[in-house]
Amino acid sequence: MSVQIEVTDLHKTYGKNEVLKGISAKFNKGDVVCIIGPSGSGKSTFLRTLNGLEGATSGDVIINGYNLTDKNTDINLVRQHVGMVFQHFNLFPNMTVLENIMYAPVELKKLTKEEAKEKALHLLEAVGLEEKKDTMPEMLSGGQKQRVAIARALAMDPDVMLFDEPTSALDPEMVGDVLDLMRRIADDGMTMLIVTHEMGFARKVANRVMFTDSGVILEDGKPEDIFDNPQHPRLQDFLSKVL
Ligand code: ADP
Ligand code: MG
């Protein structure tokens, strides 16, 4: 198994608030890891340091051999290989669905316009939204927006996909479609780190679950161990509230 992401003693401080207090973890190619934990425990901050949206205060983040914390590393180049999906979609509001998906591959000169269009149409078909290609994002439901956001991230052929609570802003009836899509991406072998409160999804789809609390990883293991045999009292308490 090849290590794709290696995080060593990662710290992140905002002013006097130490949000990440020494996180170390390795993720292998094809890992599907769900990150669970209470609000404010640093889950979003952790994901954001993995694609350079936040700089680390200290420690190392190495993705595909590139050290994100090295000043000489071209962060934009690394970021092209790390797709990110946000709770609130973050689609470009002034572009059609198709243009949203074509934008990065064309702008970063990975594909010609024709190639990007062909690829975008293919991805839209895969997420079940071909007929929405010329629609503006504001006309879509939350679930449709999130499927477009996922297609947009996939258009860059990322090596890793980061999801930050991708279903938390959705109406309940939309959640299943997005989780089904994420499961298909996992089945295709994508390396995925997913911050989520969907414990059923974590149990079924993840090969590993990490519990974070107050900026540290308190437990890291197979879903069945985390959910059926939690060791740390704080994990036991957390699960008693969410399950
Ligand atoms: P989670 O995603 O687990 O809810 P976050 O990573 O969003 O947690 O936040 C962890 C802590 O970091 C919180 O106390 C939050 O207020 C703080 N924080 C997050 N982002 C910033 C920021 N850009 N500036 C200052 N404080 C921040
Ligand atoms: Mg968060």
Side-chain angles (χ1 to χ4, degrees):
M1 271 188 286
S2 60
V3 175
Q4 195 153 34
I5 304 176
E6 183 164 6
V7 180
T8 311
D9 200 23
L10 177 66
H11 289 255
K12 176 69 184 179
T13 305
Y14 292 111
K16 286 185 178 157
N17 187 9
E18 191 176 32
V19 175
L20 301 180
K21 299 174 182 159
I23 296 214
S24 296
K26 287 181 189 175
F27 303 99
N28 293 316
K29 198 165 163 39
D31 265 348
V32 177
V33 181
C34 282
I35 301 169
I36 63 172
S39 178
S41 60
K43 304 181 298 298
S44 294
T45 304
F46 177 58
L47 278 198
R48 292 164 67 85
T49 58
L50 296 186
N51 77 343
L53 282 175
E54 295 287 352
T57 305
S58 67
D60 287 314
V61 176
I62 298 174
I63 297 188
N64 285 348
Y66 292 99
N67 191 340
L68 283 192
T69 37
D70 181 338
K71 284 186 200 65
N72 297 318
T73 300
D74 180 351
I75 271 275
N76 289 316
L77 194 65
V78 181
R79 211 177 271 160
Q80 290 182 27
H81 298 272
V82 183
M84 181 120 181
V85 174
F86 302 90
Q87 183 176 356
H88 293 290
F89 329 121
N90 298 10
L91 294 175
F92 306 120
N94 54 330
M95 296 181 196
T96 65
V97 162
L98 191 67
E99 288 164 350
N100 262 275
I101 301 172
M102 289 172 58
Y103 180 78
V106 170
E107 198 63 19
L108 298 168
K109 303 206 184 335
K110 285 194 86 173
L111 298 178
T112 65
K113 264 199 155 162
E114 290 69 35
E115 290 166 341
K117 184 172 179 184
E118 191 177 329
K119 178 157 207 172
L121 288 171
H122 181 74
L123 283 164
L124 276 175
E125 189 186 333
V127 304
L129 290 172
E130 293 157 283
E131 80 283 11
K132 299 291 185 191
K133 68 182 171 68
D134 297 319
T135 303
M136 299 307 283
E138 63 181 349
M139 304 304 288
L140 301 176
S141 72
Q144 291 170 336
K145 281 183 200 165
Q146 196 57 299
R147 279 144 64 203
V148 172
I150 291 170
R152 181 178 64 173
L154 290 172
M156 289 296 286
D157 288 327
D159 300 310
V160 177
M161 287 277 281
L162 309 176
F163 296 82
D164 193 358
E165 300 198 31
T167 59
S168 294
L170 303 182
D171 291 334
E173 72 270 24
M174 309 279 176
V175 169
D177 284 346
V178 172
L179 292 181
D180 284 348
L181 173 58
M182 289 167 62
R183 177 200 275 258
R184 277 192 277 135
I185 296 167
D187 288 345
D188 284 345
M190 180 65 73
T191 308
M192 298 164 75
L193 270 58
I194 306 156
V195 173
T196 187
H197 298 292
E198 294 289 338
M199 299 299 150
F201 177 86
R203 184 191 277 272
K204 274 183 277 170
V205 180
N207 65 310
R208 181 172 161 197
V209 175
M210 285 170 47
F211 173 66
T212 62
D213 193 14
S214 306
V216 294
I217 299 170
L218 285 184
E219 216 155 312
D220 180 351
K222 295 194 182 89
E224 54 269 34
D225 294 333
I226 296 287
F227 291 117
D228 299 333
N229 193 18
Q231 299 298 305
H232 201 287
R234 278 198 264 173
L235 174 56
Q236 293 166 0
D237 179 58
F238 177 77
L239 292 175
S240 75
K241 288 173 182 150
V242 298
L243 286 182

